[in-house]
Amino acid sequence: MFPEITVTPSDSLVHERVCIVIQGLLFQKLYKIELRLIHKTGTYRSYGIFKSSVSGRIDLKRDAPIRGTYCGVNEQGLFESVEPTDNVRYGGYFNCTPPVDFEYQLIVSDTEEQLVGKKVFKRRLRHPLVERIEVEEAYPSGNNAHNAHGINKIKTSTLLGESGKSKVTGTIFKPPGVGPFPTIIDISGTGGGLNEQKGAALASRGFAVLCLAFFKFKNLTEDLLSDAINYITSLPYTSDRIGFQGVSFGGTLVMYLATKFPKIKAVCSINGSFAMDEFSHIQVNGKRPPIGIFSPNGGHVRFLNDLMVYSDMVKNITLEDGAEFQFESSPKDTAFRFVSAFDDLSVPTVHSTNRLCERLRKLGRKVDVDFVPGGHLLDPPCFPHHPMVYSNIAGLFQTYGGETSLHGKSEFEVWERTVKFFSEHLGAPTPLSDYLRLSPKL
């Protein structure tokens, strides 16, 4: 007789709490509970060894594993601690563009590794009612920019491009309804391409989000960042007050953008640096802005388990005159949020955050700081930890740091605080309907 495995809900968004209970087991026996995440990039897994109760029950809300990929009583521990298996490319990235559902298998076996029961379920980055709109169009920048109602936009210089038309390339995630929705632009780092997981998950909470490609995507050059702010605010369902979020180099770049565009009212930097450096390859109006210069002859380069540690190089850069972000130029009502991982080995995040926060606070700016355990890439809940990736710029494997289960736990906690931050400074979004009650076809 097979036990009863209950996963509630069996179809959920990644940020929601999921309860796992197994009943009908032999009492006071050891069982292995394994979670497998089946993804296009390969299989990820976590597990725990549990002892059933006198009633033959294991409840992850109440029971801690004797050993496994996480420790302590933690209902979400299996989701937080998934690790790549052998069929995942070493140093590869868990690509979620477009954002597909997370397909899970929960496997229960006994001490002899015999299958006792199995349950299949899913979690979603994207609410089924959220519309995904691919964008690739020319848009007049600067003085020529108008919104849908013909109102002149703010006068700006085209960032990293030429005057006239700039090409906005990316993906918009739009909640159901006519809006206007609180609006966010999300960008990635020097890995390039288009990463949609944050945009899909934020839109599932009621934000309109543009995931912007600005580095190594399609026919865009490395030095082109389109005039996306004028474009996204021209749409009839968006707001003139926008948030800007970036991770890694994107987290550095959003600090710079906040000093240039008054419409940015909420900035979230996820493990960004305190200045742009030689690997930024950034131009503004055809010229490279002041940056940080690395030590000559490869100084401060070190390796950990044959993986490059980039953080020491960044911490010891020498800033050119003018390389510090000109926060004095940012609107006084712009709020700044820093998500900083203690164990980041790619960027000296704690050092960078403390350095930037000191300047912002002296200016009287609103500053929100989130120091958490984890590595470099902090993504939405359930997103697997990346302890290392292959760096195309460096041409070798680079360590990102962090312990998997702690990193995964931080993703759940940080995500809720980020949603709260944007809600406070851009306007509270309207929660989306429970899609499971809307239609059996979803």
Side-chain angles (χ1 to χ4, degrees):
M1 180 177 179
F2 288 101
E4 178 185 357
I5 302 175
T6 304
V7 178
T8 310
S10 59
D11 186 338
S12 66
L13 297 172
V14 291
H15 71 275
E16 296 177 317
R17 311 303 293 185
V18 172
C19 301
I20 297 176
V21 178
I22 301 99
Q23 302 181 86
L25 301 167
L26 297 176
F27 72 93
Q28 299 283 276
K29 297 293 184 182
L30 296 180
Y31 291 91
K32 179 180 180 181
I33 300 179
E34 180 181 353
L35 183 69
R36 294 180 183 175
L37 169 56
I38 312 300
H39 189 260
K40 59 185 178 182
T41 59
T43 302
Y44 297 73
R45 69 180 287 271
S46 59
Y47 78 96
I49 305 299
F50 295 84
K51 188 175 184 179
S52 61
S53 68
V54 292
S55 62
R57 176 186 173 98
I58 298 175
D59 184 346
L60 268 60
K61 187 176 183 179
R62 181 196 65 192
D63 301 324
I66 297 172
R67 63 181 184 277
T69 52
Y70 76 98
C71 63
V73 177
N74 184 355
E75 192 173 23
Q76 307 306 308
L78 289 175
F79 299 103
E80 296 169 356
S81 61
V82 291
E83 298 175 320
T85 62
D86 290 342
N87 66 5
V88 175
R89 180 171 58 87
Y90 181 79
Y93 185 70
F94 188 83
N95 184 279
C96 278
T97 302
V100 297
D101 297 338
F102 290 2
E103 302 288 345
Y104 288 100
Q105 297 176 357
L106 189 72
I107 301 168
V108 181
S109 56
D110 59 22
T111 55
E112 303 297 325
E113 296 288 335
Q114 297 298 311
L115 178 67
V116 173
K118 181 178 179 180
K119 182 78 172 182
V120 177
F121 62 100
K122 70 171 62 176
R123 306 192 72 166
R124 303 174 188 249
L125 285 164
R126 174 187 170 196
H127 189 292
L129 295 183
V130 168
E131 186 177 1
R132 179 179 180 271
I133 306 166
E134 294 188 3
V135 177
E136 188 172 358
E137 64 177 89
Y139 184 75
S141 62
N143 297 335
N144 299 320
H146 293 74
N147 68 5
H149 305 287
I151 302 174
N152 287 328
K153 291 297 178 182
I154 60 170
K155 182 178 179 180
T156 63
S157 297
T158 305
L159 183 64
L160 311 183
E162 299 176 354
S163 61
K165 290 186 176 181
S166 59
K167 197 161 201 174
V168 177
T169 303
T171 305
I172 293 174
F173 289 93
K174 176 188 173 295
V178 296
F181 305 104
T183 305
I184 300 170
I185 297 177
D186 179 78
I187 58 176
S188 299
T190 52
L194 188 61
N195 296 307
E196 298 181 357
Q197 63 269 15
K198 295 186 185 72
L202 282 169
S204 298
R205 305 294 288 271
F207 298 93
V209 185
L210 168 62
C211 296
L212 180 65
F214 72 101
F215 198 84
K216 297 181 182 177
F217 184 77
K218 292 187 177 179
N219 61 339
L220 298 181
T221 66
E222 292 185 359
D223 293 331
L224 176 65
L225 180 61
S226 300
D227 195 356
I229 294 175
N230 283 331
Y231 171 72
I232 193 65
T233 55
S234 75
L235 302 177
Y237 52 82
T238 60
S239 169
D240 267 354
R241 292 175 56 90
I242 66 169
F244 224 117
Q245 175 175 259
V247 62
S248 188
F249 169 66
T252 307
L253 186 58
V254 296
M255 292 291 122
Y256 176 84
L257 296 174
T259 70
K260 300 296 181 182
F261 297 99
K263 288 181 182 168
I264 301 177
K265 300 301 182 183
V267 180
C268 180
S269 172
I270 305 172
N271 290 331
S273 185
F274 56 90
M276 291 185 282
D277 60 41
E278 295 176 62
F279 285 157
S280 300
H281 301 297
I282 287 297
Q283 291 186 8
V284 180
N285 294 328
K287 297 181 180 179
R288 177 182 69 77
I291 59 172
I293 304 299
F294 293 120
S295 298
N297 303 319
H300 305 292
V301 176
R302 69 182 177 98
F303 289 81
L304 179 65
N305 297 327
D306 294 327
L307 301 171
M308 183 182 72
V309 177
Y310 188 58
S311 57
D312 291 359
M313 295 172 58
V314 176
K315 187 175 181 179
N316 291 281
I317 58 177
T318 300
L319 297 183
E320 296 178 335
D321 290 341
E324 293 271 13
F325 299 127
Q326 305 303 308
F327 290 128
E328 299 84 357
S329 302
S330 65
K332 293 182 179 180
D333 60 344
T334 297
F336 294 82
R337 171 169 166 78
F338 296 89
V339 177
S340 303
F342 288 127
D343 310 307
D344 189 350
L345 292 176
S346 179
V347 170
T349 308
V350 174
H351 171 82
S352 299
T353 295
N354 286 333
R355 182 168 177 163
L356 295 178
C357 284
E358 181 180 3
R359 295 185 56 220
L360 285 165
R361 285 172 175 148
K362 286 181 179 179
L363 293 171
R365 300 295 195 265
K366 299 174 183 177
V367 180
D368 178 41
V369 179
D370 216 347
F371 287 126
V372 294
H376 186 55
L377 295 181
L378 283 164
D379 279 291
C382 299
F383 207 85
H385 171 227
H386 289 72
M388 89 292 290
V389 297
Y390 182 79
S391 170
N392 290 316
I393 291 179
L396 44 73
F397 290 96
Q398 177 181 337
T399 182
Y400 274 1
E403 191 279 326
T404 297
S405 64
L406 293 177
H407 180 97
K409 183 176 179 62
S410 292
E411 287 185 332
F412 271 87
E413 296 173 350
V414 163
W415 190 252
E416 293 306 309
R417 293 192 284 264
T418 297
V419 169
K420 181 181 178 182
F421 170 79
F422 281 129
S423 299
E424 288 178 350
H425 298 288
L426 301 178
T430 301
L432 275 66
S433 303
D434 182 354
Y435 59 86
L436 294 178
R437 297 181 182 179
L438 297 177
S439 170
K441 297 181 182 180
L442 292 177

